[in-house]
Structures are given as structure tokens and as C-alpha cells.
Amino acid sequence: MGETGVNILESVGRWLTDPAHWQGPDGIPTRLGEHLHLSIESVSIGILIALPVGIVLGHYGRFGNLAINISNVGRAVPSFGILVIAFQVFGLGDLPIILALTALAIPPMVTNSYVALREVDPDVKDAARGMGYRELPQLLRVELPLAVPLIMAGVRTSAVQVVATATLAALIAGGGLGRYIVDGLARNDYPRLLAGALLVAALALATELLLAGLQRILVPRGIRLLKAPVASRASTFKTA
Amino acid sequence: MPNGLFLDIVDPWINWGWLSTHIPYVLAAVQEHITLTLIAVLAGFAISLPLGVLAHRWSSLRFPILTVFGIFYTIPSIALFALLIPYTGLSGTTAEIPLIGYNVLILVRNVLVGLDSVPPDVLDAADGMGYRPFVRLVRIELPLALPAIFAGLRVATVSTIGIVTITAVIGLGGLGQLILRGLIESFHSPLVVATVLSIVLALFADLLLAGAQRFAIPWARQA
């Protein structure tokens, strides 16, 4: 650290407060918007695909090994490799980025929602049957509320990882906050590089906090205290 | 395909001729990949085992440890590489600090889950048999925590193998070097070979750890 450390901090501060970096197509608001757009679109598509699959498989308890195995193979795919392959296939633009990010978002959500439905106490399901619930109401009104904490943990893991991995979009000529890191590295422009790193870190942490809050709101109050902390049962993963 | 028109060639996904003449190059990348992964997982494990035990014994340490490493874990690797460059340059240290930190979070969490899952009756029985705290930890509690610890090691290893490819942006990368080359030269073979090998490496490591788990925890085989 020492003197160089102070100089670096000063130059990063100057970079971040320079009005020129807050406007135009390479400005922070634009890059942040691109980053959020890519992430939200990928996570939404991922949710639409992964949750129904995980929930249905978990409810019927069939093909569970298949689902878990496919999602294990999915986790073994390196994010950098899949992004570059998507870029070579589809060329410039948002499409390859969103496809690759969606593919990375799906496995944790399938695994966690499958496990969430599997973990519903069989006695509870029997009781629901005995009270006259039919299949669909039982799934929607008994099993799903009990499964929400773990399902949400899966969504949170995926969303935070998608926001993190969207940083790599800049490597395949995409937008987002990763642009500052990749350009900073290419031009040996340390203030830009470090400001980009700080912005990316802040966005990832903000996403994590926001989703933790959402998770608290969405978990039905009656079951908050029922089970061991979700953190110890949810499967986590890191792609970037 | 404009490429095909202008250059009059179509780049196949794998050019077997290129691969056959570049086997030593690919193997060197695989070796660097394995080395980077091993350091990250082993160092992460060496740090997290004592940390996990401490946090289990003194529960006031639990929250600060999980929070600090949780924050670290949330930050994308490329941002941490960038933040470290002014201090440690484009070096193995810059690559390993984030990778080790991520593994510490995964493993501390699983060590805690494992130690928490030891039934109180078992601890009572061990105390009754005259085990001292340290011996009880090593001979009773840690063996019973092994399933959770192995689960953590598998997640840590598979994610590390994926993230190591990203260290290509700071000049390392193992197989990530080949991916980067495929990107820069728009040349498919190294890209596809490296991505496939990275997947194979991750699945193989996972299988290897699953085997080690069966060997280390013979009493769990029936379950």
C-alpha cells in the first residue's frame, strides 16, 4: 500500500466522480442499464424454464436422478467457454450473452426446486390428501408454500451468479459494467479498471442483499421457524 | 457465412489435424489448470477446517466469519483480479487469492453443517467414555461431519475448475488460455477442445471425490 495505495485510491475517486463518466454510451448509467437488462432477461427466462421442471419432477419424484445429473453436468460447464462458444455461433449482440447466462442460471434453480419439493414431509401430503385436496390444489396450496424457502434460495444463487457472470459479456464485445474492467485491462488504464471492479462488486452485493430481502418477504410467515436455516440445505454454486 | 465467402474455408468445430499436432500444448494447459485448481482447493480447505472448528466451538465467531467470506464470495472473480493487480500484478497470487477465498466460504459453511449435524447423544456417549475435547473432535465429530465436508469439497472443486478459465484475462487460465485464443483468433478448435476438457476435468474430479467419499465413509454406503 503506502503512497501508491493512496494515489490509486485518489485516481479511482477522481474517475468515479468525473461527470464525463456519468453520461453517453460508455457512461456508468448506460453500462449499468445494459448489465441489469442482460441479467434480468436471463434470470427471467431461466426461472420460466427451471422452476416448472424442478417443481413437477420433485412433486412426482420421478426422473429425479436424471434431473440432478443433468444439472451437475450443467454446473461443470465453464462460463467463459460457453460465452465464447455462443459468441462464435450467434455473433455480436445480446442473444449469445442471454443464451449463455440463461444456461448457467438453470442448474441451481432446477436442483433446489427439485430438492425443495422432495423434502416436503410425506405425512403433510397424506394429511392434505385426507382433508380432500386434489392433486393440483395440494401442490399449489400445501407443497409449494413449504417449498418456497429453498426454491427462493435457488433463484437467489442463480441471480447473483448471472449478475456476476454478465461481467464477462464484455469479453465477447458485449456491454455491461464489465466493459470498464476489460477496457481498463486492455489500455492499462488502472483508474478505469479499478472503478469498474468496484462498480461490479457493489452491484453483485446489492443484488444479493435485495434478493435476501425478497426471500424474507416471500417466505410465508407460518413456516419461517419450522426448518433448519435454508443456507445449510440449499446447494450453492459459483460460475464467475 | 461471410467468413466462408471471403476466405473460402469453413472453420470446423474441431480441426483434428490441429489437435493432433498440438497435443503437448493442450496437455500443458490441462496441467496448469489442475495445478491452479489444486492450490485453490487445498489452501481453501487448510484455512477453512480450523476456521470451521473455531466457529463451531465459539458461536460468536460464526456470524463475522460467514459474513466476511460471504461478501468476498459474492464479488465476481474478474473484479477481484482487477482490484489485486496494483498490488500483486499479473501473477499466480492474483489468481489464487480470490479462488482460495471462495473455497473458504463453501468449505467453512459445510464444516459447520457437518459439525452441527452430530447428534448430542453421540457427544454425551463420547464424553461418558472419557474422550477429551480435542480427541473427541478428531475421532468422533470430524468423521461424522465428513459427508458434509465432502459435499463442500465437490462443489468447491467443480466451481474452481470453471472459474480458473477466467484467469486467462490475467495471463494464466490453464484451459482458459485456449478459450481466449479461440476468441481472439476466431478459431474454433482450441475453444471447443478447452471447453470440453474443462467439463471432463470437472466431472472427473467430482467422480474422484465421490469415490474418495465412499472409501472414507464406509458406514454410509448402505444409505
Side-chain angles (χ1 to χ4, degrees), chain B residues 37-104:
Chain B
T37 306
L38 273 181
I39 294 173
V41 174
L42 292 179
F45 186 56
I47 295 171
S48 57
L49 193 61
L51 268 188
V53 169
L54 288 177
H56 177 68
R57 188 91 346 141
W58 290 286
S59 53
S60 58
L61 287 177
R62 195 178 271 247
F63 182 74
I65 290 178
L66 289 177
T67 308
V68 168
F69 283 98
I71 291 172
F72 196 84
Y73 184 82
T74 307
I75 301 174
S77 55
I78 195 170
L80 288 174
F81 297 148
L83 291 173
L84 286 168
I85 284 174
Y87 306 104
T88 47
L90 299 174
S91 68
T93 320
T94 304
E96 290 294 349
I97 291 173
L99 294 175
I100 292 171
Y102 298 155
N103 288 336
V104 169

Coordinates of all heavy atoms in Angstrom, one line a residue, chain B residues 37-104:
Chain B
T37 N -6.1 -25.3 -9.8 CA -7.3 -25.8 -9.0 C -6.8 -26.4 -7.7 O -7.4 -26.2 -6.7 CB -8.0 -26.8 -9.9 OG1 -8.3 -26.3 -11.1 CG2 -9.3 -27.3 -9.2
L38 N -5.8 -27.3 -7.8 CA -5.3 -28.0 -6.6 C -4.9 -27.0 -5.5 O -5.3 -27.1 -4.3 CB -4.2 -28.9 -6.9 CG -4.5 -30.3 -7.4 CD1 -3.3 -31.1 -7.6 CD2 -5.4 -31.0 -6.3
I39 N -4.1 -26.0 -5.9 CA -3.7 -25.0 -4.9 C -4.9 -24.3 -4.2 O -5.0 -24.2 -3.0 CB -2.8 -23.9 -5.5 CG1 -1.5 -24.5 -6.0 CG2 -2.5 -22.8 -4.5 CD1 -0.6 -23.6 -6.8
A40 N -5.9 -23.9 -5.1 CA -7.1 -23.2 -4.6 C -7.9 -24.0 -3.6 O -8.3 -23.6 -2.6 CB -7.9 -22.7 -5.7
V41 N -8.1 -25.3 -4.0 CA -8.9 -26.2 -3.1 C -8.2 -26.6 -1.9 O -8.8 -26.5 -0.8 CB -9.4 -27.4 -3.9 CG1 -10.1 -28.4 -3.0 CG2 -10.3 -27.0 -5.1
L42 N -6.9 -27.0 -2.0 CA -6.2 -27.4 -0.8 C -5.9 -26.3 0.2 O -6.2 -26.4 1.4 CB -4.8 -28.1 -1.2 CG -5.0 -29.4 -2.0 CD1 -3.6 -30.0 -2.4 CD2 -5.8 -30.4 -1.2
A43 N -5.5 -25.1 -0.3 CA -5.3 -24.0 0.6 C -6.6 -23.6 1.2 O -6.7 -23.3 2.4 CB -4.7 -22.8 -0.2
G44 N -7.7 -23.6 0.4 CA -9.0 -23.2 0.9 C -9.4 -24.2 2.0 O -9.9 -23.8 3.1
F45 N -9.2 -25.5 1.8 CA -9.5 -26.5 2.8 C -8.7 -26.3 4.1 O -9.2 -26.4 5.2 CB -9.3 -27.9 2.2 CG -9.8 -29.0 3.1 CD1 -11.1 -29.0 3.6 CD2 -8.9 -30.0 3.5 CE1 -11.6 -30.0 4.4 CE2 -9.4 -31.0 4.4 CZ -10.7 -31.0 4.8
A46 N -7.4 -26.0 3.9 CA -6.5 -25.9 5.0 C -6.9 -24.7 5.9 O -6.7 -24.7 7.1 CB -5.0 -25.7 4.6
I47 N -7.4 -23.6 5.3 CA -7.8 -22.5 6.1 C -9.2 -22.7 6.7 O -9.5 -22.4 7.8 CB -7.9 -21.2 5.1 CG1 -6.5 -20.9 4.6 CG2 -8.5 -20.0 5.9 CD1 -6.5 -19.8 3.6
S48 N -10.1 -23.4 6.0 CA -11.5 -23.4 6.4 C -11.7 -24.5 7.5 O -12.6 -24.3 8.3 CB -12.4 -23.7 5.3 OG -12.0 -24.9 4.6
L49 N -10.9 -25.5 7.5 CA -11.1 -26.6 8.6 C -10.9 -26.0 10.0 O -11.8 -26.1 10.8 CB -10.2 -27.8 8.3 CG -10.5 -29.0 9.1 CD1 -11.9 -29.5 8.8 CD2 -9.5 -30.1 8.8
P50 N -9.8 -25.3 10.3 CA -9.7 -24.7 11.6 C -10.7 -23.6 11.8 O -11.3 -23.5 12.9 CB -8.2 -24.1 11.6 CG -7.7 -24.2 10.3 CD -8.5 -25.3 9.5
L51 N -10.9 -22.8 10.8 CA -11.9 -21.7 10.9 C -13.3 -22.3 11.3 O -14.0 -21.8 12.2 CB -12.1 -20.9 9.6 CG -11.2 -19.7 9.5 CD1 -11.6 -19.0 8.2 CD2 -11.3 -18.8 10.7
G52 N -13.7 -23.4 10.6 CA -15.0 -24.0 10.8 C -15.1 -24.6 12.2 O -16.1 -24.4 12.9
V53 N -14.0 -25.2 12.7 CA -14.0 -25.8 14.0 C -14.1 -24.7 15.1 O -14.9 -24.7 16.0 CB -12.7 -26.6 14.3 CG1 -12.5 -27.0 15.7 CG2 -12.7 -27.9 13.4
L54 N -13.3 -23.6 14.9 CA -13.4 -22.4 15.8 C -14.8 -21.8 15.8 O -15.3 -21.6 16.9 CB -12.4 -21.3 15.4 CG -10.9 -21.6 15.6 CD1 -10.1 -20.5 15.1 CD2 -10.6 -21.8 17.1
A55 N -15.4 -21.7 14.7 CA -16.7 -21.1 14.6 C -17.8 -22.0 15.2 O -18.8 -21.5 15.7 CB -17.1 -20.7 13.2
H56 N -17.5 -23.3 15.2 CA -18.4 -24.2 15.8 C -18.3 -24.2 17.3 O -19.3 -24.2 18.0 CB -18.1 -25.7 15.3 CG -19.0 -26.7 15.9 ND1 -20.3 -26.8 15.7 CD2 -18.7 -27.7 16.8 CE1 -20.8 -27.8 16.4 NE2 -19.9 -28.3 17.1
R57 N -17.1 -24.1 17.8 CA -16.8 -24.0 19.2 C -17.3 -22.7 19.8 O -18.0 -22.7 20.8 CB -15.3 -24.2 19.5 CG -14.9 -24.4 20.9 CD -14.9 -25.9 21.5 NE -15.5 -26.9 20.8 CZ -15.0 -28.2 20.7 NH1 -13.8 -28.4 21.2 NH2 -15.6 -29.1 20.1
W58 N -16.9 -21.6 19.2 CA -17.4 -20.3 19.7 C -18.3 -19.7 18.8 O -18.0 -19.1 17.7 CB -16.1 -19.4 19.9 CG -15.3 -19.8 21.0 CD1 -15.5 -19.7 22.4 CD2 -14.0 -20.5 21.0 NE1 -14.5 -20.2 23.1 CE2 -13.6 -20.7 22.3 CE3 -13.2 -20.9 19.9 CZ2 -12.4 -21.4 22.6 CZ3 -12.1 -21.6 20.2 CH2 -11.7 -21.8 21.5
S59 N -19.6 -19.8 19.1 CA -20.6 -19.4 18.1 C -20.7 -17.9 17.8 O -21.2 -17.5 16.8 CB -22.0 -19.9 18.5 OG -22.3 -19.4 19.8
S60 N -20.0 -17.1 18.7 CA -19.9 -15.7 18.4 C -19.1 -15.4 17.2 O -19.2 -14.3 16.5 CB -19.4 -14.9 19.6 OG -18.2 -15.3 19.9
L61 N -18.2 -16.3 16.8 CA -17.3 -16.1 15.6 C -18.1 -16.5 14.3 O -17.6 -16.0 13.2 CB -16.1 -17.1 15.7 CG -15.0 -16.7 16.7 CD1 -13.9 -17.8 16.7 CD2 -14.4 -15.3 16.3
R62 N -19.1 -17.2 14.4 CA -19.8 -17.7 13.3 C -20.3 -16.6 12.3 O -20.0 -16.6 11.1 CB -21.1 -18.5 13.8 CG -21.7 -19.4 12.8 CD -22.9 -20.1 13.5 NE -22.4 -21.3 14.1 CZ -22.9 -22.5 13.7 NH1 -23.8 -22.6 12.8 NH2 -22.4 -23.6 14.3
F63 N -21.0 -15.6 12.9 CA -21.6 -14.6 12.1 C -20.5 -13.7 11.4 O -20.5 -13.6 10.1 CB -22.5 -13.7 12.9 CG -23.1 -12.6 12.1 CD1 -24.2 -12.9 11.2 CD2 -22.7 -11.3 12.2 CE1 -24.8 -11.9 10.4 CE2 -23.3 -10.3 11.4 CZ -24.3 -10.6 10.6
P64 N -19.4 -13.2 12.1 CA -18.4 -12.5 11.4 C -17.7 -13.3 10.3 O -17.5 -12.7 9.2 CB -17.4 -12.0 12.5 CG -17.9 -12.7 13.8 CD -19.3 -13.2 13.6
I65 N -17.4 -14.5 10.6 CA -16.6 -15.3 9.6 C -17.5 -15.5 8.3 O -17.1 -15.3 7.2 CB -16.2 -16.7 10.1 CG1 -15.1 -16.5 11.2 CG2 -15.7 -17.6 9.0 CD1 -14.6 -17.8 11.8
L66 N -18.8 -15.9 8.5 CA -19.6 -16.2 7.4 C -19.9 -14.9 6.6 O -20.1 -14.9 5.4 CB -20.9 -16.9 7.8 CG -20.8 -18.3 8.3 CD1 -22.1 -18.9 8.8 CD2 -20.2 -19.2 7.2
T67 N -20.0 -13.8 7.3 CA -20.3 -12.5 6.7 C -19.1 -12.0 5.8 O -19.3 -11.7 4.6 CB -20.7 -11.4 7.7 OG1 -21.7 -11.9 8.5 CG2 -21.2 -10.2 7.0
V68 N -17.9 -12.0 6.4 CA -16.8 -11.5 5.7 C -16.6 -12.4 4.4 O -16.4 -11.8 3.3 CB -15.5 -11.6 6.6 CG1 -14.3 -11.4 5.8 CG2 -15.6 -10.5 7.7
F69 N -16.5 -13.7 4.6 CA -16.3 -14.5 3.4 C -17.5 -14.6 2.5 O -17.4 -14.7 1.3 CB -15.9 -16.0 3.8 CG -14.5 -16.0 4.3 CD1 -14.1 -16.0 5.6 CD2 -13.4 -16.1 3.3 CE1 -12.8 -16.0 6.0 CE2 -12.1 -16.1 3.7 CZ -11.8 -16.1 5.1
G70 N -18.7 -14.3 3.0 CA -19.9 -14.2 2.2 C -19.8 -13.0 1.2 O -20.2 -13.1 0.1
I71 N -19.4 -11.9 1.8 CA -19.2 -10.7 0.9 C -18.2 -11.0 -0.2 O -18.4 -10.7 -1.3 CB -18.8 -9.5 1.8 CG1 -20.0 -9.1 2.7 CG2 -18.3 -8.3 0.9 CD1 -19.6 -8.0 3.7
F72 N -17.0 -11.6 0.2 CA -16.0 -11.9 -0.7 C -16.5 -12.8 -1.8 O -16.2 -12.6 -3.0 CB -14.8 -12.6 0.1 CG -13.5 -12.7 -0.6 CD1 -12.6 -11.6 -0.6 CD2 -13.2 -13.8 -1.3 CE1 -11.4 -11.7 -1.2 CE2 -12.0 -13.9 -2.0 CZ -11.1 -12.8 -1.9
Y73 N -17.3 -13.8 -1.4 CA -17.8 -14.8 -2.3 C -18.7 -14.2 -3.4 O -18.8 -14.6 -4.5 CB -18.6 -15.9 -1.5 CG -19.1 -17.0 -2.3 CD1 -18.3 -18.1 -2.6 CD2 -20.4 -17.1 -2.6 CE1 -18.7 -19.2 -3.2 CE2 -20.9 -18.2 -3.3 CZ -20.1 -19.3 -3.6 OH -20.6 -20.4 -4.3
T74 N -19.5 -13.1 -2.9 CA -20.4 -12.5 -3.8 C -19.8 -11.7 -4.9 O -20.3 -11.6 -6.0 CB -21.4 -11.6 -3.0 OG1 -21.9 -12.3 -1.9 CG2 -22.5 -11.0 -3.9
I75 N -18.5 -11.2 -4.7 CA -17.9 -10.4 -5.7 C -17.3 -11.2 -6.8 O -16.6 -12.2 -6.5 CB -16.7 -9.6 -5.0 CG1 -17.3 -8.7 -3.9 CG2 -16.0 -8.7 -6.0 CD1 -16.2 -8.0 -3.0
P76 N -17.6 -10.9 -8.0 CA -17.1 -11.7 -9.2 C -15.6 -11.7 -9.2 O -14.9 -10.8 -8.9 CB -17.7 -10.9 -10.4 CG -18.8 -10.1 -9.9 CD -18.5 -9.8 -8.5
S77 N -15.1 -12.9 -9.7 CA -13.6 -13.1 -9.7 C -12.9 -12.0 -10.5 O -11.9 -11.5 -10.1 CB -13.3 -14.5 -10.2 OG -13.9 -14.7 -11.5
I78 N -13.5 -11.7 -11.7 CA -12.8 -10.7 -12.5 C -12.6 -9.4 -11.8 O -11.6 -8.7 -12.0 CB -13.5 -10.6 -13.9 CG1 -12.6 -9.9 -14.9 CG2 -14.8 -9.9 -13.8 CD1 -13.1 -10.0 -16.3
A79 N -13.6 -9.0 -11.0 CA -13.5 -7.7 -10.2 C -12.3 -7.9 -9.2 O -11.6 -6.9 -9.0 CB -14.8 -7.4 -9.6
L80 N -12.3 -9.0 -8.5 CA -11.2 -9.2 -7.5 C -9.8 -9.2 -8.2 O -8.9 -8.6 -7.6 CB -11.5 -10.5 -6.7 CG -12.6 -10.4 -5.7 CD1 -12.9 -11.7 -5.1 CD2 -12.4 -9.4 -4.6
F81 N -9.7 -9.9 -9.3 CA -8.4 -9.9 -10.0 C -8.0 -8.4 -10.3 O -6.9 -8.0 -10.1 CB -8.5 -10.6 -11.4 CG -8.9 -12.1 -11.3 CD1 -9.6 -12.7 -12.3 CD2 -8.5 -12.8 -10.2 CE1 -9.9 -14.0 -12.2 CE2 -8.8 -14.2 -10.1 CZ -9.5 -14.8 -11.1
A82 N -9.0 -7.6 -10.8 CA -8.7 -6.2 -11.2 C -8.2 -5.5 -9.9 O -7.3 -4.7 -10.0 CB -9.9 -5.6 -11.8
L83 N -8.9 -5.7 -8.8 CA -8.6 -4.9 -7.6 C -7.2 -5.3 -7.0 O -6.5 -4.6 -6.4 CB -9.6 -5.2 -6.5 CG -11.0 -4.6 -6.7 CD1 -12.0 -5.0 -5.7 CD2 -10.9 -3.0 -6.8
L84 N -6.8 -6.6 -7.3 CA -5.5 -7.1 -6.8 C -4.3 -6.7 -7.7 O -3.2 -6.6 -7.2 CB -5.5 -8.6 -6.6 CG -6.3 -9.1 -5.5 CD1 -6.5 -10.6 -5.5 CD2 -5.6 -8.7 -4.1
I85 N -4.6 -6.4 -9.0 CA -3.5 -6.1 -9.9 C -2.5 -5.1 -9.5 O -1.3 -5.3 -9.5 CB -4.0 -5.9 -11.3 CG1 -4.5 -7.2 -12.0 CG2 -3.0 -5.2 -12.2 CD1 -5.2 -7.0 -13.3
P86 N -3.0 -3.9 -8.9 CA -2.0 -2.9 -8.5 C -1.0 -3.4 -7.4 O 0.1 -2.9 -7.2 CB -2.8 -1.8 -7.9 CG -4.2 -2.0 -8.5 CD -4.3 -3.5 -8.7
Y87 N -1.4 -4.5 -6.6 CA -0.6 -4.9 -5.5 C 0.2 -6.2 -5.9 O 1.4 -6.3 -5.6 CB -1.5 -5.2 -4.3 CG -2.3 -4.0 -3.9 CD1 -3.7 -4.0 -4.2 CD2 -1.7 -2.9 -3.4 CE1 -4.4 -2.8 -4.0 CE2 -2.4 -1.7 -3.1 CZ -3.8 -1.7 -3.4 OH -4.5 -0.6 -3.1
T88 N -0.5 -7.1 -6.6 CA 0.2 -8.4 -6.9 C 0.5 -8.6 -8.3 O 1.0 -9.7 -8.7 CB -0.5 -9.6 -6.2 OG1 -1.9 -9.5 -6.6 CG2 -0.4 -9.6 -4.7
G89 N 0.1 -7.7 -9.2 CA 0.4 -7.8 -10.6 C -0.3 -8.9 -11.3 O -1.3 -9.5 -10.8
L90 N 0.2 -9.2 -12.5 CA -0.4 -10.4 -13.3 C 0.3 -11.6 -12.8 O 1.2 -12.1 -13.5 CB -0.3 -10.1 -14.8 CG -0.9 -8.9 -15.4 CD1 -0.5 -8.7 -16.8 CD2 -2.4 -9.0 -15.2
S91 N -0.1 -12.2 -11.7 CA 0.6 -13.3 -11.2 C -0.3 -14.4 -10.6 O -1.5 -14.2 -10.6 CB 1.5 -12.8 -10.0 OG 0.7 -12.4 -8.9
G92 N 0.3 -15.5 -10.3 CA -0.4 -16.6 -9.7 C -1.1 -16.2 -8.4 O -2.2 -16.6 -8.1
T93 N -0.5 -15.3 -7.6 CA -1.0 -14.8 -6.4 C -2.4 -14.1 -6.6 O -3.4 -14.3 -5.9 CB -0.1 -13.8 -5.7 OG1 1.2 -14.3 -5.8 CG2 -0.4 -13.6 -4.2
T94 N -2.4 -13.2 -7.7 CA -3.6 -12.5 -8.0 C -4.7 -13.5 -8.4 O -5.9 -13.3 -8.0 CB -3.3 -11.6 -9.2 OG1 -2.3 -10.7 -8.9 CG2 -4.6 -10.8 -9.6
A95 N -4.4 -14.6 -9.0 CA -5.4 -15.6 -9.4 C -5.9 -16.4 -8.2 O -7.0 -16.7 -8.0 CB -4.8 -16.6 -10.4
E96 N -4.9 -16.7 -7.3 CA -5.3 -17.7 -6.2 C -6.0 -17.0 -5.1 O -6.9 -17.7 -4.5 CB -4.0 -18.4 -5.7 CG -3.4 -19.4 -6.6 CD -4.2 -20.6 -6.9 OE1 -5.3 -20.8 -6.3 OE2 -3.9 -21.3 -7.9
I97 N -5.7 -15.8 -4.8 CA -6.4 -15.1 -3.6 C -7.9 -15.2 -3.7 O -8.6 -15.7 -2.8 CB -5.9 -13.7 -3.4 CG1 -4.4 -13.7 -2.9 CG2 -6.8 -13.0 -2.3 CD1 -3.8 -12.3 -2.8
P98 N -8.5 -14.8 -4.8 CA -10.0 -14.9 -4.9 C -10.4 -16.4 -4.9 O -11.4 -16.7 -4.2 CB -10.3 -14.3 -6.3 CG -9.2 -13.4 -6.6 CD -8.0 -14.0 -6.0
L99 N -9.7 -17.2 -5.6 CA -10.2 -18.7 -5.7 C -10.2 -19.3 -4.3 O -11.1 -20.0 -3.9 CB -9.3 -19.4 -6.7 CG -9.3 -19.0 -8.1 CD1 -8.3 -19.8 -8.9 CD2 -10.7 -19.3 -8.7
I100 N -9.1 -19.0 -3.6 CA -9.0 -19.6 -2.2 C -10.1 -19.0 -1.3 O -10.8 -19.8 -0.6 CB -7.6 -19.3 -1.6 CG1 -6.5 -20.1 -2.4 CG2 -7.6 -19.7 -0.1 CD1 -5.1 -19.7 -2.0
G101 N -10.3 -17.7 -1.4 CA -11.4 -17.1 -0.6 C -12.7 -17.7 -0.9 O -13.5 -18.0 0.1
Y102 N -13.1 -17.9 -2.2 CA -14.4 -18.5 -2.5 C -14.5 -19.9 -1.8 O -15.5 -20.3 -1.3 CB -14.5 -18.7 -4.0 CG -14.5 -17.4 -4.8 CD1 -14.2 -17.4 -6.1 CD2 -14.9 -16.2 -4.2 CE1 -14.2 -16.2 -6.8 CE2 -14.9 -15.0 -4.9 CZ -14.5 -15.0 -6.2 OH -14.5 -13.9 -6.9
N103 N -13.4 -20.7 -1.9 CA -13.5 -22.1 -1.4 C -13.6 -22.0 0.1 O -14.2 -22.9 0.7 CB -12.2 -22.9 -1.8 CG -12.3 -23.2 -3.3 OD1 -13.4 -23.2 -3.9 ND2 -11.2 -23.5 -3.9
V104 N -13.0 -21.0 0.8 CA -13.1 -21.0 2.2 C -14.6 -20.8 2.6 O -15.1 -21.5 3.5 CB -12.3 -19.8 2.8 CG1 -12.6 -19.6 4.3 CG2 -10.8 -20.1 2.6

